[in-house]
Structures are given as C-alpha cells and as structure tokens.
Amino acid sequence: MKEPVRRRLLALLAALCVCVGSSGLSARAAQTPDVQGTEQGTDAETDGEKAPEETGSLTEQGTGAQPKETDQSSGNDSDDTAGDTSAEKPNTDVKVTPSNANALLLMDAGAQSPRAVPGRTVEVVLTLAVNREWLPSEKYVLRNITITPDIPTDSTKDTWPFDVVGASYVRHLDDMTYNSTAEVWYEFSVSEFAKEGVYPVNFTVNATVWREDSVNGTDITEDVEFKLNVFMTVTDNGDMSGVTSGIGPLNVAGRENTAIASPTGSPGETVVMSMPIVNKGGTLENVTVSPVVTGDLETFPFVAQDINYGREMGRMEKGDRQQIDWIFTISPYATTGNKVVTFRATYEENGVYGECTFTGYIYVKNGYTANTAASLMVSGYGLYVNDVPVTTLEAGNDAVLKVTLKNNAEKNAVYKAVSTLKLSDANSLILTGGYSDAAYVQSISAGSTAEVEYHITARASAAVGPSAATIALTYETHENEGAVAGSASSSIQIPVKQPMNLQLDTPVVYGSAVQGEPVAVSLNMVNLGRSRAYNVSVVAMDGVSMQDAYFGGDILAAGTLNADFQVIPNKSGEFAGTLVVQYEDADGELYTQNVALSMTAAGADDGALAASGDSVQEQEETSSSWSLWLLLALAVLLLLATAWYFLRYRRGRTQAEKTQENAENDVEGESSEEETSEESGDADR
C-alpha cells in the first residue's frame, strides 16, 4: 500500500473514534443527575455521622423527609413510629458501682470512749445509722446484717485488752431501710494482762444490699463487708501485765521542809533506826524490807543478834506510806563516823518479781580505835634444786622455793601467820603435785624471821625469762585490848630458762691436708633446744689452728648452721685435733662443746716433693699438649697447601683451554674472511 493511501485511512479511523466518544459522553451526561440523587438519599438514611449541613441538603433533595434529629432517632425518614420506645427490648445489663463508704455508720451521739481498769467489766455500745449513699430511698434494704469483733489470735494481751470468755460474739440485726438506726451492745471483761493505754476495738460488718430496679422491674443484690471501730481506754496496768517501774518503786519517804534525823550512838549502845517508806510505783504485792547484813563494820556497824531482820509489809498501793523500826546494838569495834546502811526490798509488781535498795545513815561517836598491826614482810627468797641453790630454774625441773618472813615490829609479836603463794603464769610455773600453795607459821616474835617453803615445777614448755609470783600474808597481833588483824603482800620474780642442746655433727675435711698449709673444713650444727643459741663461735686446738676464729652468729630453736672455715695442721701423720664450739644462752651463760677433728696430714718435705712431682707432671702434660697442638697446626697447613695446589692447577688448565679456544676462533674468522672476499671477487667479475 502506498504512503498517501495509508495516511488517508488513519485520518478516517480517528474521525470515527471521535464521533463515537462524543455520543457516549452525551448519553452519560443525561443520566448522571438521577444517579447522584439516589446515592445521596441512601447515604442520608444510613450514615448518622454526616455533617448537619450535608445531611439536611441531601435529605431534602433526595427524599423530602424530616430534619436531621428525626432521621437519627428513627433511622428511617419515611417511618411515622420512630419515637415509640415500647417496641425496644428490656435492658438487663445493669452494672452496680460499689460505694467506698460503709453501709452503716456510727452515729455521733456525743458518747464517750469506754474506760475501765483491769478486772472490771465495760460496756461497748455501737450506735448505728444507715448510710444514705447506699440506701437513698425506701426501695433499698440492708439485710442479713452480722457484726463480729475482730479478736486477734496472736499477741492478744498487747492488742486485745479483754478476756475471751464467750463462745461467740456475733450479733445479728433485722433489716434496715432508709433512715433506720440500731444499737449493738457488748460487755467485755478487761483482762488482768492488759497494760495501761488506748486500744482500738474493731468490728467486721457483713450485710446484703437489696435494690429494686424501677426501670426494668428486676431485683439487684450485692454483698458488702466493711469495718467499724471504737476505742477503749485502760486506765491502769493489770496485775499480770508484767509492767514494772523503771526505777525502784520503794523509796525513803521525806517530810515537807523537814529532814529525817539519823540515829546517833556509841559502841555498845542500842539505837532505833526508823525508815519511812513510800511506794512510788504501781501496786505491789508481798512487800518485804530487810537490812543488808555484812561482816564489814563500815556498812553494818551493829551486832547481828537476830537470824532475820526482814519485815513483811503485804500489799502497798501506789502512794502508800509505811514506817518500819529496827532496834540495833552498835558493835564495840565500830569506828567513829557516818555509816551507810543498805536496805533491800522485794516485791511483786503486776505479776513480776522485783527488788530495789535504798539507804539509811547512822553516826557512831566515840568509836573504836584499832591498834596498828605489826609490819610483816618478805625479806628474801631462794631456789633450791636437790638442795643445791640455783639462780635460775631450768624448764622441766622441780625446785623448792624458800621464802624468809620478817616481823619488823619493835614490840608486837605476830601470830597465826598464813603465807599464800600465787603464781601468775600457769604456762610456765605450777605447784608440784601433792604440795599446797599455803604455809603456816604459829608466831614470829618482834624483829625475828621465819622461813616457809613451796614446791614448784617449771613446765618443759616454759617461756624463757622471769615469771612473777605473789606472796600474800595474813596474821594477827595479841594486845590487852584484843587481837588486831593485819595483811601484807609481796611480789617476787622466779627466773626460768630452757636447757641448751646444740648437736654437733662430725666435721668434714675437704682436700689433702699438708702440715702448715690451710685446709677447708665444714661443721654442721643443729639447735635441738627450745631457746636461741647466741654468739656461736668455733676455735681449733690439739694440733690444729686457725688464722681467725669462726663466728657464726645466733642459731634459733630448731635451726641449723653449716660452718665452713679453714684449719692449719701443725703436725703430720694421722692425729685427732679438737674443734671447740662456744655459745651463750639468754642469760649470758657461756657453754662449750668439743668435737674431734680426724686429720691425716703430709709432712712439709713430702709436700714439697709432691709439689715438685706435680710440677713435673704438669710440665710433661704441658709439653704433650704443645706437641699435640703442633701436630694439629702442621695438619692444618698441609690441608691448606693441598687445597692451594688444586686450586692453582685447575686455574692453569682453565686458562689453557681458553687460549686454545681463542686460537680456534681466530682460525675460523680468517677462513670466513677469505670466503667473503672470494664471493665479493666473483661478484665483481
């Protein structure tokens, strides 16, 4: 097909499409208004959330119905019964929201909190009224009402002040409606275990709230539980409460603006001591008061004539006052001055036993003046081991401690003297088995001495050093006025030391010994004792000597020392020298131990010959070694020469080969030149 014909056909098809499209659009435009009106009317019936303006316009245009409110309430713009509610189903889905308040309240009738003391009965009244928040009208009723006190099961006496005597404390009330009131009575017995204070008494109320639903005609019930509480005041502590006074409840009573005079008397006289007592605590039962009788005339300056001076006072209420009188005879040995007499009172307060003390005073005049006791003292002591005096006691040994007592008085003798030894460190010193720590002396005249003995033992593990001991003395002096007791005490020191035990091994000689020449020696030492060996030194004697003495320092207990030093034999042949080991203990006592040193020393000439022989042998060994070195050097030179010869021979051969090769190359070159010249001549020809 040719190009002009093709273009004409395309133009015809385009015109045909335009005509068909324009006719379709015209038909669609004619039908569009009815469709839009129908859709808008349907939207007005089904959509209740359209804007007011849009909904009204669509309703008026599509259906001509009532305004927007009527359409939303009925859901159908052409239904005349849209406002009739009788056609709806009953509403049974009712939710009750409980109130936070109690359904019953305690009325504020001006009633006071109940008060009682332990052992009494108290009435607790609950005046109740209906809470209108729960029962707002007559159609609401509170039924099945029960009230129960909350009785705790633990720590009852601290939280529940009443005795639990009833089998049940539940109270039931009739139905209560709008504006109803009621009273509930309880009688409780306050326990003797109750303590003074204010206690909350809690009650639990269970009930059922009934309502009538006036809209749906149904009944609604709801169970409620809530708490009510009142307060109970206990005005005193019960007899079994266990509460006691912080301080002693019994004290010496005073008088207003008037002091109570203390009795006064001389030794041998009889006095009356009156003690007015007041109770400042709680109620006390079984009160007993008695003076504290002692053997010290400064605290009880009386003659004890009765077995018991106690006075029974029975029951004392708080604030009660009683006066008790005692008749005493002042001791003939009571000294002049004020004496403090202590009284002890025992009682029961609220079921708890207690006691307290208080004091009174008496003044003794023209009192007894005691004679001065004799001056008895320790003048000296000594240690004896097997009847031999020693200055220190060695650990593990028994000793006799002899103590000298001296009466320094000029006139008075000492009688019934008892000397007691007290050892301060039982880990070091103890009494020897079968012996006592006390010694007795019948009498010591004025200016005289007496000796007592104690048997003691130093433990094997005793610490080194002095161990303290005390000697206590008691005695009496006889005078016309009577005996006077005296006492004294002295301290002594008992030195204790551990035995030294230094073990010396057999000395070892290193090398050959020669007379006059030093040789090395080693000596091992082990300290088997329990104390340190101080300043250990070694010297030589009996045919051996040392240039300087060896000093090794200290060797601890269970320690060792390996001493290395040199000795010089002073003679030849076999002989035994001596090494002297010296050391000290903690007290500076010097100890010496000898150990034999076996020596075999050559003489001085033998030593020289041996030295010359050694030198010849050394020279021979030196010459042989030089010969060996010379042979090694010659072998090395021979190897070097052989290597040089082979290298030189190979280098000459290589040069000859190169010379022959160069000659052959030269011959070949000349022949090639001739051939070239011949070829060029032929070409010229």
Side-chain angles (χ1 to χ4, degrees):
M1 185 179 291
K2 294 182 179 181
E3 187 65 25
V5 176
R6 186 183 297 171
R7 289 180 180 178
R8 290 173 184 163
L9 289 176
L10 290 175
L12 182 60
L13 290 174
L16 182 61
C17 290
V18 170
C19 293
V20 172
S22 60
S23 62
L25 289 176
S26 300
R28 178 66 177 174
Q31 296 176 358
T32 297
D34 296 336
V35 174
Q36 290 180 352
T38 304
E39 290 178 355
Q40 291 177 359
T42 305
D43 292 340
E45 293 175 0
T46 57
D47 189 3
E49 296 181 358
K50 296 293 184 178
E53 297 81 1
E54 183 181 357
T55 304
S57 60
L58 293 176
T59 303
E60 292 174 0
Q61 294 174 4
T63 60
Q66 298 297 325
K68 170 193 165 209
E69 291 79 0
T70 305
D71 295 340
Q72 291 180 348
S73 61
S74 62
N76 189 352
D77 53 352
S78 62
D79 192 356
D80 297 332
T81 61
D84 188 5
T85 59
S86 61
E88 296 181 358
K89 296 181 180 179
N91 184 11
T92 59
D93 187 13
V94 178
K95 295 182 180 179
V96 178
T97 302
S99 173
N100 292 328
N102 296 340
L104 292 177
L105 301 176
L106 289 174
M107 295 178 61
D108 186 9
Q112 295 183 351
S113 171
R115 302 167 63 89
V117 297
R120 303 291 178 85
T121 300
V122 64
E123 290 184 348
V124 177
V125 182
L126 302 178
T127 305
L128 305 175
V130 171
N131 187 356
R132 295 182 182 178
E133 185 176 347
W134 279 91
L135 307 181
S137 68
E138 296 292 343
K139 292 186 178 182
Y140 292 78
V141 181
L142 197 63
R143 294 176 175 174
N144 304 326
I145 305 172
T146 60
I147 302 175
T148 307
D150 295 339
I151 302 176
T153 57
D154 55 346
S155 302
T156 303
K157 69 176 183 178
D158 295 329
T159 57
W160 184 258
F162 308 115
D163 290 325
V164 181
V165 295
S168 175
Y169 289 89
V170 180
R171 299 288 188 269
H172 298 273
L173 293 179
D174 295 334
D175 294 348
M176 299 182 69
T177 59
Y178 180 77
N179 282 339
S180 295
T181 60
E183 288 186 351
V184 180
W185 294 72
Y186 285 94
E187 287 189 355
F188 294 114
S189 177
V190 183
S191 174
E192 290 291 350
F193 290 94
K195 300 177 183 179
E196 182 180 359
V198 178
Y199 296 83
V201 183
N202 298 318
F203 297 87
T204 299
V205 182
N206 293 92
T208 301
V209 179
W210 177 85
R211 298 182 182 88
E212 179 181 354
D213 192 337
S214 60
V215 176
N216 297 323
T218 60
D219 294 339
I220 300 172
T221 60
E222 181 181 355
D223 293 332
V224 295
E225 180 179 318
F226 50 90
K227 301 287 185 180
L228 296 175
N229 70 296
V230 296
F231 293 93
M232 166 68 190
T233 303
V234 179
T235 58
D236 200 354
N237 294 310
D239 291 340
M240 303 301 292
S241 63
V243 178
T244 58
S245 303
I247 58 175
L250 294 179
N251 293 275
V252 178
R255 300 188 182 95
E256 186 177 357
N257 299 326
T258 303
I260 300 174
S262 62
T264 303
S266 299
E269 293 182 355
T270 300
V271 296
V272 177
M273 195 166 188
S274 298
M275 296 299 298
I277 300 172
V278 62
N279 179 15
K280 294 187 176 181
T283 301
L284 305 181
E285 300 284 351
N286 302 324
V287 180
T288 301
V289 181
S290 61
V292 179
V293 180
T294 65
D296 187 4
L297 294 177
E298 294 298 318
T299 58
F300 190 77
F302 309 113
V303 178
Q305 297 174 335
D306 297 336
I307 296 177
N308 185 9
Y309 286 93
R311 299 289 188 271
E312 299 288 342
M313 302 176 65
R315 179 185 177 93
M316 291 185 67
E317 300 289 344
K318 183 176 182 179
D320 285 356
R321 293 170 178 260
Q322 294 190 33
Q323 180 170 316
I324 310 174
D325 297 332
W326 284 275
I327 300 176
F328 294 120
T329 299
I330 301 176
S331 173
Y333 300 102
T335 58
T336 301
N338 287 313
K339 313 298 177 182
V340 179
V341 182
T342 302
F343 294 85
R344 178 180 290 110
T346 61
Y347 53 87
E348 292 182 11
E349 183 179 6
N350 295 332
V352 179
Y353 173 84
E355 66 176 32
C356 62
T357 59
F358 47 89
T359 56
Y361 300 90
I362 179 174
Y363 180 76
V364 179
K365 60 183 180 179
N366 303 323
Y368 172 77
T369 303
N371 294 322
T372 304
S375 178
L376 185 64
M377 60 176 289
V378 175
S379 61
Y381 65 96
L383 287 172
Y384 295 84
V385 177
N386 297 326
D387 294 331
V388 177
V390 295
T391 57
T392 58
L393 179 57
E394 196 171 81
N397 291 341
D398 298 336
V400 177
L401 175 63
K402 296 182 179 181
V403 180
T404 302
L405 306 179
K406 183 178 182 180
N407 181 7
N408 293 321
E410 295 181 359
K411 299 180 180 180
N412 299 331
V414 173
Y415 298 92
K416 302 178 182 178
V418 177
S419 177
T420 304
L421 175 66
K422 299 179 180 178
L423 301 173
S424 61
D425 187 5
N427 294 324
S428 295
L429 294 178
I430 59 174
L431 292 170
T432 305
Y435 291 91
S436 173
D437 63 344
Y440 179 78
V441 179
Q442 179 63 33
S443 63
I444 305 174
S445 59
S448 299
T449 61
E451 189 176 73
V452 295
E453 295 182 357
Y454 305 96
H455 291 260
I456 59 176
T457 300
R459 291 182 181 270
S461 60
V464 176
S467 181
T470 302
I471 299 175
L473 303 172
T474 59
Y475 53 91
E476 293 180 358
T477 60
H478 285 278
E479 297 290 342
N480 295 331
E481 294 81 1
V484 177
S487 62
S489 179
S490 298
S491 296
I492 61 175
Q493 299 289 336
I494 302 176
V496 180
K497 68 176 182 179
Q498 287 285 346
M500 302 300 297
N501 185 7
L502 189 64
Q503 176 180 303
L504 305 178
D505 295 341
T506 302
V508 179
V509 180
Y510 297 99
S512 299
V514 179
Q515 180 181 354
E517 298 293 333
V519 63
V521 177
S522 176
L523 176 62
N524 186 51
M525 293 173 274
V526 181
N527 185 4
L528 299 179
R530 294 176 180 268
S531 61
R532 177 184 298 186
Y534 295 87
N535 302 325
V536 179
S537 62
V538 180
V539 296
M541 57 186 301
D542 295 342
V544 290
S545 62
M546 301 173 64
Q547 291 182 352
D548 296 311
Y550 173 80
F551 179 77
D554 301 340
I555 305 178
L556 298 176
T560 61
L561 174 63
N562 192 8
D564 295 324
F565 49 88
Q566 290 182 336
V567 299
I568 301 174
N570 296 327
K571 54 184 179 181
S572 61
E574 286 191 18
F575 65 95
T578 303
L579 297 179
V580 181
V581 180
Q582 295 178 335
Y583 53 93
E584 300 176 357
D585 62 8
D587 297 328
E589 184 177 351
L590 182 63
Y591 294 81
T592 301
Q593 287 183 241
N594 297 336
V595 59
L597 176 62
S598 298
M599 298 289 297
T600 301
D605 297 338
D606 297 339
L609 292 175
S612 62
D614 293 340
S615 63
V616 170
Q617 184 178 0
E618 289 178 357
Q619 290 177 0
E620 292 178 354
E621 292 177 355
T622 303
S623 62
S624 63
S625 63
W626 277 107
S627 300
L628 180 62
W629 282 109
L630 182 59
L631 291 176
L632 290 174
L634 291 175
V636 170
L637 291 175
L638 182 60
L639 289 174
L640 292 175
T642 303
W644 176 79
Y645 173 76
F646 278 108
L647 290 174
R648 184 177 179 85
Y649 172 76
R650 186 174 181 179
R651 184 181 301 173
R653 185 177 178 180
T654 303
Q655 290 179 356
E657 292 177 353
K658 288 183 177 181
T659 302
Q660 184 178 357
E661 183 178 355
N662 293 331
E664 293 177 353
N665 292 333
D666 292 339
V667 171
E668 291 178 357
E670 290 178 356
S671 61
S672 62
E673 289 178 357
E674 290 178 355
E675 292 178 356
T676 303
S677 59
E678 289 178 357
E679 290 178 357
S680 59
D682 293 336
D684 293 335
R685 283 193 299 267

